[in-house]
Amino acid sequence: MKVIVDLNILLDVLQRREPHYSNSRKCLNRLQAKQADLLISSHCIPTLSYILRKILGKDVACECVSWVLDTFDVALCSKEIFRKANDGPYPDFEDGIVIEEAIAEGCDWILTRDSKGFKNSHVRPISPTDFLTKG
């Protein structure tokens, strides 16, 4: 099983954002227990660092980024993926990048709380709640 994890799930876990923290954490734990291939979009790393530095400080942000890089593979990105995301039928450019990376990487699911952003995806978006009940 190969899953690309959207930034909102990582922020839920790393910032312990309620009411989403518990389900997002349980999903990551279950996927790790199943030895799923976990990916994160390449564009999420600098965004994650920026957000966490503002909220939690540089040291904690660096620890969190290290944990992400130890836990997840980074999806490969290219000019072609950016073009497909930009030209595709996606409501949001960043979500389009995640979709195109998920397709290129052969992912089974996109784990996200923003299923609307992935409505035109060829890779099925799944929420933490749905994953915990159906996955």
Side-chain angles (χ1 to χ4, degrees):
M1 175 186 336
K2 194 178 251 192
V3 179
I4 193 164
V5 178
D6 198 12
L7 180 61
N8 55 43
I9 303 298
L10 289 177
L11 288 171
D12 290 346
V13 172
L14 294 171
Q15 293 181 288
R16 297 180 180 261
R17 296 193 305 192
E18 294 297 347
H20 310 293
Y21 169 75
S22 180
N23 280 351
S24 293
R25 182 73 217 158
K26 284 177 189 174
C27 282
L28 293 183
N29 288 342
R30 186 175 292 177
L31 286 164
Q32 286 177 303
K34 289 183 176 188
Q35 297 182 342
D37 292 328
L38 297 175
L39 290 98
I40 184 76
S41 178
S42 57
H43 80 279
C44 290
I45 302 297
T47 304
L48 178 70
S49 176
Y50 176 79
I51 291 169
L52 294 178
R53 280 175 186 246
K54 286 182 73 172
I55 295 168
L56 303 174
K58 180 183 177 185
D59 292 341
V60 173
C62 287
E63 288 175 29
C64 290
V65 169
S66 290
W67 174 80
V68 168
L69 293 173
D70 289 343
T71 305
F72 297 85
D73 288 326
V74 178
L76 297 177
C77 199
S78 65
K79 186 177 187 176
E80 180 181 348
I81 285 176
F82 283 124
R83 284 200 191 278
K84 287 180 179 180
N86 189 54
D87 298 339
Y90 311 121
D92 180 86
F93 180 58
E94 290 177 324
D95 291 343
I97 294 168
V98 174
I99 292 166
E100 291 298 333
E101 287 174 334
I103 292 167
E105 294 281 356
C107 291
D108 300 296
W109 289 323
I110 299 169
L111 183 64
T112 184
R113 283 190 298 96
D114 177 26
S115 59
K116 288 185 288 185
F118 298 94
K119 68 179 180 178
N120 294 323
S121 177
H122 296 291
V123 178
R124 181 178 164 214
I126 190 165
S127 71
T129 303
D130 286 346
F131 178 81
L132 292 170
T133 36
K134 301 173 190 171

